[in-house]
Amino acid sequence: MYTPPAFREDDPTVLHSIMREARLATLVTATAEGLMATPLPLFLDAGEGEHGVLYGHLARANGQWKAAPIGEALVLFSGLDAYITPSWYAAKAEHGKVVPTWNYEAVHAYGVPEFFDDPARLLEAVTRLTALYEQPRAEPWAVSDAPEAFVAAQLRGIVGVRLPISRIEGKRKMSQNRSEADRAGVAAGLAGSERPDERRVADMIPTRRG
C-alpha cells in the first residue's frame, strides 16, 4: 500500500480499532489459478502472536480454500472514508490550484493462512464470531440456542481460516498534508454532510498543528 509518511499509521491500538470497525474484510490469495478474493467477517485475537491472529470461515463450496496460496495472503480492511471537494479549501479562493481527493482509513494485514475443518475448532471460531456481533444486542443470540444436530450439520458446510498476521500496514489519510485553514474547511464541510459516516470523518480531521 502506497503510504506517504504524513498518512502512515503504526499504532497497534489504532490499527486494531480500524480492523474491528471494518467488520467485513476481504481475503485475497495468489494461487496457481490466479488471484482469488472472498469478502468475509473476521475477528481479531490481538493477544495471540506478535501482531494478532485473524479467524473466520468460508463456505466449503468456495474454491479459494482448496487452491494452495502462493506466499502470504492479504486481508483488506476499509475504514471510514469521504470525498473531499476542493470547494472546502481556503486555498481555492487564494490561488485555485486545488483538486478533489478522498480521505480514508485502510489496514492491510499479511500472513500465511491455515484452512481447517475440525468440528471443535470450527465451533469455537463461529461461537466467538457470533458472540462478538451479538453482544451489543438487547437479547443476544448464541450458537448454543440452535439444536446441536443442526449446528453440526451447518459446520460441515464451512471451512475455517486462521491467519497469523506477519506484518501489517496502516493508512489514515485525513487531510494532514493540507494547511490549517484548508483542514478547517474540510472539517466544517464534512460536518454538514447528510452522511453519518462523513460527519464521523469530520471529527478525525486534525484542525490544529501539533
Side-chain angles (χ1 to χ4, degrees), residues 6-86:
F7 306 140
R8 181 171 176 171
E9 181 56 70
D10 292 321
D11 185 339
T13 301
V14 174
L15 297 177
H16 292 170
S17 176
I18 294 172
M19 294 164 76
R20 291 183 172 117
E21 284 287 319
R23 297 164 67 88
L24 190 70
T26 301
L27 172 67
V28 183
T29 53
T31 76
E33 301 173 33
L35 290 175
M36 295 186 173
T38 300
L40 73 169
L42 297 169
F43 70 85
L44 170 69
D45 188 331
E48 186 179 350
E50 182 180 359
H51 301 292
V53 175
L54 295 168
Y55 289 91
H57 59 273
L58 299 80
R60 184 173 290 275
N62 186 331
Q64 185 174 13
W65 72 272
K66 301 176 185 177
I70 300 172
E72 295 180 315
L74 167 62
V75 183
L76 305 172
F77 296 88
S78 296
L80 293 171
D81 68 273
Y83 170 75
I84 308 301
T85 172

Side-chain angles (χ1 to χ4, degrees), residues 132-149:
L132 176 66
Y133 292 110
E134 286 286 336
Q135 186 272 331
R137 300 175 61 84
E139 297 183 11
W141 181 87
V143 172
S144 57
D145 290 345
E148 187 174 333

Side-chain angles (χ1 to χ4, degrees), residues 123-195:
L123 179 60
E124 179 185 11
V126 298
T127 297
R128 292 177 66 182
L129 184 65
T130 301
L132 176 66
Y133 292 110
E134 286 286 336
Q135 186 272 331
R137 300 175 61 84
E139 297 183 11
W141 181 87
V143 172
S144 57
D145 290 345
E148 187 174 333
F150 171 78
V151 172
Q154 294 298 301
L155 293 178
R156 289 194 289 271
I158 63 174
V159 172
V161 57
R162 176 181 182 271
L163 188 140
I165 300 173
S166 60
R167 57 193 176 100
I168 188 169
E169 300 173 332
K171 184 174 183 178
R172 299 180 86 216
K173 182 178 179 294
M174 293 293 163
S175 301
Q176 299 98 314
N177 59 328
R178 304 299 308 186
S179 69
E180 185 174 316
D182 282 355
R183 285 182 279 116
V186 170
L190 290 172
S193 172
E194 295 181 356
R195 293 175 172 268

